[in-house]
Amino acid sequence: MDAVRANPLRVILPVVVLMGLAVVVGLTRTPTYSAETRLNVGRQDGDLLALPGFAAGVQSLAVGYSRVVGSSPVVARTARALELPVDRVAGRITAAPIPESPLFRIFATGTSEENAVATANAAARAFIAYNNAGIARDREDRGIERALTRATFRLGLANQRLSKARVDAKRRPSPDGKRISQAERVRFARLGTNAALLRLRADTLRAQYRASTQGISGVNFVRVIDPARGATNDRSSTLQKLLFTGLLAGLALGAALAYLAPSPSTYVPRHAARSRD
């Protein structure tokens, strides 16, 4: 501490220089812009919303869909829409579900606000097109009616397994004396979740089959509810990080220089040393 007080300029100068460099770098670098588009899974249909397990099912679908957004097919479709190379678009698109809701968000970055907004909206359209193409392929390969029959059969099996597990659990004594053990409860929850997802699949196919028989071309279960209109940039946050780093580095360097400098109490000028001799 004495060395720092004795050499304040050696401490202050590195701080000023490094923070000045941080300001220059922060203001001259090209900021990264971020835009966001929100999509909804499932139609706001009263009949569908009243179905048991429908809400949990669409939330699970939102989680799954958010993981598909960054896949190669979606990125390739986005790149074609933007007329850019795939390698320039890859890594600029991410997605995340909104907890406890049928919504998920697509994030896109760019070198300008217009670029980020265009990329986010193009990625949303590319995902919807990819998802619809998958539904169309499913119809073409198996047909809605066959898919519905299979889904209904699987749902029946899942319900039978769940009912049988409950009956067996009541007949078997629990090790801890409770009517149903914790392990059985976990198993019931797993079987119930599986049945709910299968019920969602069957209900979705049933709605598609009903729409197709009524002459409707298709049912879109994913749609954009809030397209990207603006973008934020990281200039301010990056500048703050650079300034903080410059401050810490300057203080560390200044303290090192102060301690390495000779102490005024031990420094003897040459002319004084000669006069002593």
Side-chain angles (χ1 to χ4, degrees):
M1 186 61 68
D2 293 336
V4 173
R5 286 197 295 265
N7 301 276
L9 186 60
R10 292 177 180 267
V11 178
I12 297 174
L13 187 58
V15 173
V16 173
V17 172
L18 291 180
M19 292 189 70
L21 289 175
V23 172
V24 173
V25 173
L27 294 179
T28 56
R29 68 177 287 274
T30 301
T32 299
Y33 291 83
S34 302
E36 171 189 326
T37 298
R38 295 194 178 195
L39 296 90
N40 180 76
V41 179
R43 294 179 301 158
Q44 299 301 314
D45 189 314
D47 295 335
L48 291 177
L49 293 175
L51 292 173
F54 181 81
V58 293
Q59 291 176 20
S60 299
L61 284 177
V63 174
Y65 285 161
S66 65
R67 296 172 180 170
V68 178
V69 170
S71 63
S72 298
V74 177
V75 172
R77 286 175 179 266
T78 305
R80 286 197 299 269
L82 297 172
E83 298 182 352
L84 292 173
V86 175
D87 57 352
R88 288 188 57 186
V89 179
R92 291 170 47 188
I93 302 172
T94 57
I98 298 179
E100 299 182 359
S101 77
L103 306 176
F104 66 99
R105 299 179 289 183
I106 294 179
F107 305 98
T109 59
T111 55
S112 67
E113 182 175 3
E114 295 77 9
N115 181 259
V117 170
T119 303
N121 291 329
R125 293 190 297 268
F127 171 78
I128 292 175
Y130 173 75
N131 185 61
N132 290 343
I135 295 175
R137 285 194 301 271
D138 183 69
R139 290 182 184 178
E140 183 179 349
D141 295 340
R142 296 180 296 173
I144 299 177
E145 188 173 359
R146 290 198 302 271
L148 176 59
T149 302
R150 186 177 301 178
T152 304
F153 177 74
R154 290 177 177 174
L155 176 60
L157 289 179
N159 288 330
Q160 288 179 7
R161 293 192 191 99
L162 180 59
S163 299
K164 185 176 183 302
R166 288 174 175 171
V167 172
D168 293 342
K170 291 180 180 180
R171 291 176 179 176
R172 290 194 303 267
S174 176
D176 56 4
K178 297 182 180 179
R179 191 174 183 83
I180 299 178
S181 65
Q182 183 63 29
E184 294 288 351
R185 295 179 187 276
V186 173
R187 187 184 176 208
F188 294 159
R190 189 186 308 114
L191 292 173
T193 301
N194 182 52
L197 291 175
L198 290 172
R199 187 180 299 109
L200 172 63
R201 171 69 173 167
D203 293 336
T204 301
L205 289 170
R206 189 174 295 110
Q208 292 178 351
Y209 180 73
R210 183 165 54 248
S212 63
T213 56
Q214 293 174 354
I216 301 176
S217 59
V219 181
N220 186 7
F221 284 89
V222 182
R223 60 190 179 92
V224 176
I225 63 170
D226 190 11
R229 298 182 178 87
T232 58
N233 66 74
D234 63 347
R235 171 167 287 169
S236 176
S237 60
T238 301
L239 181 58
Q240 291 177 5
K241 293 177 182 177
L242 290 173
L243 286 173
F244 184 70
T245 303
L247 174 63
L248 293 181
L251 289 174
L253 179 59
L257 292 175
Y259 279 106
L260 292 175
S263 175
S265 59
T266 59
Y267 177 72
V268 179
R270 290 184 178 180
H271 64 84
R274 292 174 181 173
S275 62
R276 290 178 183 177
D277 295 340

